[in-house]
Amino acid sequence: MGDRQRSQTISTQLQEIAKRAELYSGTAFNNVCHLIDERFLREAYYRTSKTSAPGVDGVTAKEYAVNLDSNLSKLHERLRSNQYVAPPVERVWIEKEGGKKRPIGMPSFEDKIVQRAVLMLLEPIYNHEFYGFSHGFRAGHSPHQALRELREGCLKSHINWIADADVSGFFDSLDHNHLREFIKRRVNDGGIIRLIGKWLKAGILEGETLTYPKQGSPQGGVISPMLANIFLHYVLDEWFVKEALPRMKGKSLITRFADDFVIGFESEEDARRVMEALGKRFSLFGLDINMEKTKLVKFSKPSGPNRKSETFDFLGFTHYWAKSRKGYWVIMRKTIGKRLARFVKATWQWCRKNRHKPIKEQHKTLCSKLRGYYQYYGVRCNYKAIDVAYNEALHAWRYWLSRRSHKGLINLDKFAASIIGKCPLAKPRIIHRNV
């Protein structure tokens, strides 16, 4: 069977699952794991990123592809006979704002294929289960869609208060028993449940130390975002829609991207009641709301002599009220200061480390970094922040190219003519005008 025919066949299978999920919304699927055959695994292989770092076994995507048919056949046999063993996940740490670090898990490439296969089965089922305001890592959803929904919702619902909540170590605190029970409400297939259990119990290798946490889901796994969405769908989303919202006196909204969410209220009384209930609700399922980082923000249109409104952060942006060019009060966004500082610091470090590489090679990478930054942060009213990113990149490049010799800082005019004239950096531009 050709690749195109195989892909169409599997797409048809997934469409049928989606139809059944929509038709039988209250019924659990108990017979889908058998669909993971060699053809299904091959499709999962093609849908799996080939650029990620290898896991504990050191096997890269390129190496796995050398004997792809044999590898997939053996993998299917182990899955079919329930002999598949999820390898430990290698853990590395990446820097966050404020000098803190965040753990990232790196599964083996073959394990990513199996996780992708299971994810392909779960997506058409849960796409009809999840609410529209759940935007994290879902097809047809994006951070910018969440930002647009939040802004429009605040204006239409006359939101005056924002609950800016923070869940303490969500991925490290996720309770396995509760997660299994949540999954079984929609997917009560023994094969799927066993595979997910193996990933949850797979050890974490940090350096030479192997541990087996009794809770949590390692970040970096293909399946982890789906597990997070399932957990928070029942803990937060469904609770808010079915229990909290009907008791509101005023209008309200919620927008969530993975474990990052904000809730907006028209009424201060509603806001304070939900804030009080939120911590109790999460504690029932083994999660804690970080009260030091969680705050209730008065976010109404400025009025009176002070004409100031509080701000809140969400998805990398600080949200605030300001006057438009036409004199109207509007909600604007700008890059969070710490996020901008982190990009600037990383750019300077990269220019220093790579200053001896060919100019064209440096130019290509710097442009790629800047375009990626504009692609996310290039939203309406945020030009000043992305312009700062551009100018800092320009300054860093000039400074570290000058350090290749002992002649001092390259003259600005000379740098503009000899370097930027031939290799101009990507200029800042607004990508998302409707966000």
Side-chain angles (χ1 to χ4, degrees):
M1 180 182 292
D3 289 345
R4 185 174 180 180
Q5 186 179 357
R6 181 201 68 250
S7 182
Q8 289 178 340
T9 300
I10 291 171
S11 293
T12 300
Q13 290 178 326
L14 298 179
Q15 288 170 8
E16 287 299 319
I17 292 175
K19 290 179 182 178
R20 287 167 54 197
E22 186 175 14
L23 187 61
Y24 304 104
S25 58
T27 305
F29 286 74
N30 56 19
N31 191 26
V32 290
C33 193
H34 73 280
L35 295 175
I36 303 179
D37 55 16
E38 285 188 45
R39 292 182 305 169
F40 204 92
L41 289 171
R42 184 177 292 273
E43 182 66 19
Y45 162 81
Y46 284 117
R47 296 189 186 188
T48 300
S49 172
K50 313 297 189 298
T51 59
S52 302
V56 293
D57 59 3
V59 178
T60 64
K62 186 176 181 180
E63 292 170 339
Y64 194 86
V66 173
N67 297 306
L68 183 61
D69 291 343
S70 175
N71 287 334
L72 293 179
S73 177
K74 293 176 181 177
L75 175 60
H76 174 245
E77 179 57 31
R78 279 180 282 139
L79 288 169
R80 189 189 64 80
S81 59
N82 197 26
Q83 294 180 341
Y84 180 78
V85 177
V89 176
E90 187 173 358
R91 171 176 281 180
V92 296
W93 296 82
I94 62 173
E95 289 188 5
K96 291 179 62 178
E97 298 92 345
K100 296 182 180 180
K101 293 186 176 182
R102 178 165 63 93
I104 290 292
M106 296 193 299
S108 69
F109 180 73
E110 186 172 70
D111 200 43
K112 290 179 182 178
I113 296 175
V114 184
Q115 290 190 31
R116 176 66 61 183
V118 172
L119 180 62
M120 287 163 57
L121 291 175
L122 296 182
E123 281 180 332
I125 297 173
Y126 282 101
N127 276 341
H128 295 284
E129 190 78 7
F130 294 153
Y131 292 99
F133 57 76
S134 171
H135 296 284
F137 308 100
R138 295 179 59 195
H141 293 257
S142 71
H144 296 98
Q145 186 177 346
L147 290 167
R148 181 171 60 252
E149 177 185 276
L150 176 61
R151 179 179 178 274
E152 292 176 351
C154 284
L155 295 173
K156 292 179 180 178
S157 299
H158 306 291
I159 296 302
N160 297 308
W161 298 85
I162 291 288
D164 183 8
D166 182 87
V167 184
S168 299
F170 172 74
F171 282 94
D172 292 330
S173 306
L174 194 145
D175 184 274
H176 294 175
N177 292 328
H178 286 307
L179 177 60
R180 289 191 190 92
E181 291 305 313
F182 290 150
I183 294 172
K184 287 179 180 179
R185 294 184 187 184
R186 227 33 197 118
V187 181
N188 196 13
D189 184 306
I192 299 295
I193 298 298
R194 280 193 296 273
L195 280 173
I196 292 175
K198 289 179 179 181
W199 291 321
L200 294 175
K201 293 179 180 179
I204 295 177
L205 182 65
E206 190 171 345
E208 297 182 356
T209 304
L210 181 62
T211 58
Y212 294 90
K214 295 182 180 180
Q215 60 186 22
S217 174
Q219 298 184 57
V222 175
I223 199 69
S224 291
M226 172 59 78
L227 300 183
N229 276 334
I230 293 173
F231 200 92
L232 287 173
H233 169 76
Y234 292 106
V235 173
L236 176 63
D237 302 354
E238 194 170 73
W239 168 79
F240 180 81
V241 172
K242 295 184 177 180
E243 296 186 37
L245 199 57
R247 294 179 171 86
M248 300 281 186
K249 293 183 177 180
K251 295 179 181 178
S252 183
L253 63 83
I254 182 172
T255 301
R256 182 173 67 80
F257 193 93
D259 61 328
D260 195 1
F261 66 94
V262 292
I263 308 176
F265 306 89
E266 182 181 18
S267 163
E268 180 181 0
E269 182 181 348
D270 288 339
R272 297 198 180 280
R273 285 173 50 242
V274 170
M275 283 288 285
E276 183 179 352
L278 203 57
K280 297 177 182 178
R281 174 67 183 178
F282 273 70
S283 66
L284 289 175
F285 301 94
L287 296 175
D288 291 322
I289 297 293
N290 188 334
M291 299 311 297
E292 292 183 1
K293 294 183 178 181
T294 298
K295 58 183 180 179
L296 185 60
V297 176
K298 184 172 175 53
F299 194 71
S300 56
K301 185 185 299 184
S303 61
N306 293 329
R307 289 184 173 270
K308 287 186 178 180
S309 176
E310 294 183 54
T311 67
F312 68 93
D313 296 337
F314 183 58
L315 296 182
F317 292 91
T318 296
H319 300 245
Y320 63 101
W321 281 93
K323 282 285 188 72
S324 68
R325 291 181 179 179
K326 295 182 178 180
Y328 301 113
W329 283 106
V330 295
I331 297 174
M332 295 186 179
R333 280 73 56 92
K334 61 182 178 181
T335 309
I336 295 175
K338 291 181 179 180
R339 296 286 181 93
L340 179 57
R342 185 173 66 182
F343 176 82
V344 170
K345 180 182 178 181
T347 302
W348 274 79
Q349 290 175 340
W350 186 92
C351 288
R352 178 190 180 189
K353 183 178 180 181
N354 296 276
R355 65 186 183 274
H356 294 297
K357 290 185 177 181
I359 297 293
K360 288 186 177 180
E361 186 177 333
Q362 292 186 51
H363 170 255
K364 182 179 180 181
T365 302
L366 277 173
C367 284
S368 177
K369 289 178 179 293
L370 285 170
R371 289 192 189 100
Y373 191 82
Y374 306 153
Q375 186 63 42
Y376 188 83
Y377 290 104
V379 303
R380 185 174 50 176
C381 304
N382 195 39
Y383 185 86
K384 183 178 180 180
I386 61 176
D387 189 50
V388 169
Y390 167 79
N391 283 298
E392 285 291 339
L394 201 64
H395 185 196
W397 200 25
R398 177 191 173 207
Y399 178 84
W400 286 111
L401 285 180
S402 300
R403 295 295 296 269
R404 300 210 299 190
S405 67
H406 300 285
K407 297 180 180 180
L409 192 64
I410 300 173
N411 179 272
L412 188 58
D413 292 334
K414 182 180 178 181
F415 179 71
S418 61
I419 305 296
I420 298 302
K422 297 177 181 178
C423 299
L425 292 181
K427 293 285 185 71
R429 56 188 290 253
I430 300 300
I431 307 294
H432 309 280
R433 297 190 176 276
N434 297 319
V435 172

